[in-house]
């Protein structure tokens, strides 16, 4: 393996993990806030 | 501080603040990674692997800052009983664990070509691994709690006690012999060349803004879930 392979692996793993937590947190927030607003409107 | 104890007041700030942290954070991270990968020269001894610094150092910083945030929030929860302190501590835990894990993985990837090994049981690496396990323990404790969105007193005490590990991580390269290099950036200055320092600063700032946005999103989700649960309970009683 060349040095570039190690650099690519480190950046790729960081990018994937960051995207995973970012998208997961955003979807969870959107879903929960939408459901909370729906329930509030059903009063 | 108690001005923000009202979730509605907190949300009126958190909602506009989330994109303010998210988009500049994303742009900074992308720009810093491009800068670090394509514009920065290879280092004399380490070659191109020095570029791993632009993801490894922010991950280490956020892993440690995350637990410091949990400890501060836990103190605020226990002493002042601030209702959002536990919510914020819980929101920090998963991204904090993720960045502590990323620090270990990217450090290991950096170690193989630089030290010739993926792992050594020295003070810095071992104390960082302990921090990762502390995060896992904290997440398990908060998930076991019956208090939806908040954390139990046991978890809060665990958050404070676990903070003992933060100065140990910081001083480990001074106290014990270590493969890991000594601190390159201190309050007294930096021993890193400016060619590496500025993209590193941009990357650390970008990841920090993203971390803040992630924590706000998770707090907003937790508060919305609390509202859902309260509403469902009222509907069941009617």
């Amino acid at each position: 393996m060349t040095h570039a392979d190690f650099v690519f692996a480190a950046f790729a793993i960081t990018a994937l993990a960051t995207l995973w937590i970012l998208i997961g947190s955003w979807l969870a927030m959107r879903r929960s806030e939408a459901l909370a607003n729906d329930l509030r409107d059903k009063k | 501080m108690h001005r923000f104890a009202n979730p509605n007041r907190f949300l009126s700030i958190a909602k506009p603040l989330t994109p303010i942290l998210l988009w500049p954070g994303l742009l900074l991270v992308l720009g810093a990674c491009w800068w670090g990968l394509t514009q920065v020269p290879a280092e004399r001894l380490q070659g191109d692997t020095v570029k791993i610094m632009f993801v490894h150092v922010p991950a280490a910083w956020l892993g440690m800052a995350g637990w410091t945030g949990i400890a501060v929030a836990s103190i605020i929860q226990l002493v002042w009983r601030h209702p959002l302190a536990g919510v914020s501590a819980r929101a920090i835990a998963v991204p904090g664990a993720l960045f502590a894990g990323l620090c270990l993985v990217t450090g290991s990837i950096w170690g193989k070509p630089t030290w010739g090994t993926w792992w050594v049981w020295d003070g810095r690496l071992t104390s960082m691994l302990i921090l990762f396990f502390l995060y896992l323990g904290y997440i398990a404790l908060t998930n076991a709690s019956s208090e939806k969105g908040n954390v139990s007193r046991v978890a809060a005490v665990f958050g404070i006690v676990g903070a003992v590990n933060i100065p140990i991580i910081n001083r480990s390269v001074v106290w014990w012999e270590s493969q890991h290099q000594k601190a390159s950036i201190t309050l007294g200055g930096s021993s890193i060349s400016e060619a590496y320092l500025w993209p590193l600063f941009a990357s650390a700032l970008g990841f920090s803004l993203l971390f803040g946005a992630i924590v706000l999103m998770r707090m907003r989700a937790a508060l919305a879930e609390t509202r859902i649960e309260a509403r469902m309970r009222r509907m069941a009683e009617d």
Side-chain angles (χ1 to χ4, degrees):
Chain A
M1 282 175 86
T2 66
H3 280 191
D5 295 330
F6 286 101
V7 175
F8 176 77
F11 274 74
I13 289 167
T14 305
L16 287 175
T18 307
L19 279 177
W20 172 76
I21 189 99
L22 199 59
I23 294 170
S25 303
W26 186 75
L27 287 176
M29 178 192 74
R30 287 291 301 265
R31 201 169 36 234
S32 300
E33 288 189 339
L35 184 56
N37 290 339
D38 281 353
L39 286 171
R40 188 193 58 201
D41 294 342
K42 276 185 189 167
K43 270 185 201 174
Chain B
M1 189 166 57
H2 278 276
R3 275 195 313 142
F4 302 109
N6 180 337
N8 288 332
R9 188 170 291 163
F10 167 78
L11 286 173
S12 71
I13 297 164
K15 282 183 179 175
L17 190 57
T18 308
I20 289 173
L21 296 178
L22 177 64
W23 296 113
L26 264 179
L27 285 175
L28 258 177
V29 165
L30 289 174
C33 287
W34 169 82
W35 190 358
L37 279 173
T38 64
Q39 305 299 305
V40 167
E43 204 261 344
R44 185 171 54 89
L45 295 173
Q46 298 185 45
D48 275 329
T49 53
V50 74
K51 296 175 181 181
I52 295 173
M53 166 171 70
F54 302 121
V55 289
H56 174 73
V57 174
W61 145 247
L62 288 173
M64 292 166 68
W67 194 279
T68 307
I70 287 175
V72 170
S74 300
I75 291 169
I76 292 171
Q77 182 191 341
L78 291 178
V79 177
W80 290 286
R81 299 182 189 280
H82 195 291
L84 290 179
V87 178
S88 64
R90 196 170 186 169
I92 291 170
V94 173
L98 181 97
F99 280 103
L102 277 175
C103 169
L104 291 167
V105 172
T106 56
S108 187
I109 292 172
W110 198 354
K112 180 64 179 166
T114 311
W115 301 337
T117 180
W118 297 101
W119 184 264
V120 284
W121 290 101
D122 73 359
R124 173 58 64 89
L125 278 70
T126 307
S127 54
M128 198 67 204
L129 183 64
I130 289 170
L131 177 67
F132 180 67
F133 287 140
L134 284 172
Y135 270 118
L136 297 187
Y138 184 83
I139 292 166
L141 264 178
T142 51
N143 284 345
S145 166
S146 59
E147 298 170 56
K148 190 79 180 168
N150 217 321
V151 297
S152 64
R153 291 172 67 87
V154 175
V157 170
F158 185 78
I160 296 167
V161 173
V164 170
N165 192 41
I166 299 299
I168 293 175
I169 296 172
N170 183 265
R171 303 306 294 166
S172 57
V173 287
V174 178
W175 290 341
W176 300 294
E177 280 295 318
S178 176
Q179 291 272 55
H180 199 283
Q181 66 188 67
K182 302 264 186 291
S184 305
I185 303 170
T186 62
L187 290 175
S190 162
S191 59
I192 300 179
S193 156
E194 285 202 1
Y196 303 108
L197 189 62
W198 289 110
L200 177 62
F201 176 72
S203 176
L205 180 63
F207 274 108
S208 301
L209 292 177
L210 278 188
F211 191 88
I214 291 165
V215 170
L216 283 181
M217 287 181 204
R218 298 180 77 85
M219 286 182 74
R220 286 171 59 180
L223 291 173
E225 279 165 22
T226 308
R227 289 206 307 274
I228 292 166
E229 201 174 85
R231 181 72 189 141
M232 298 288 260
R233 206 178 302 123
R234 274 203 302 276
M235 285 166 77
E237 285 166 3
D238 289 345

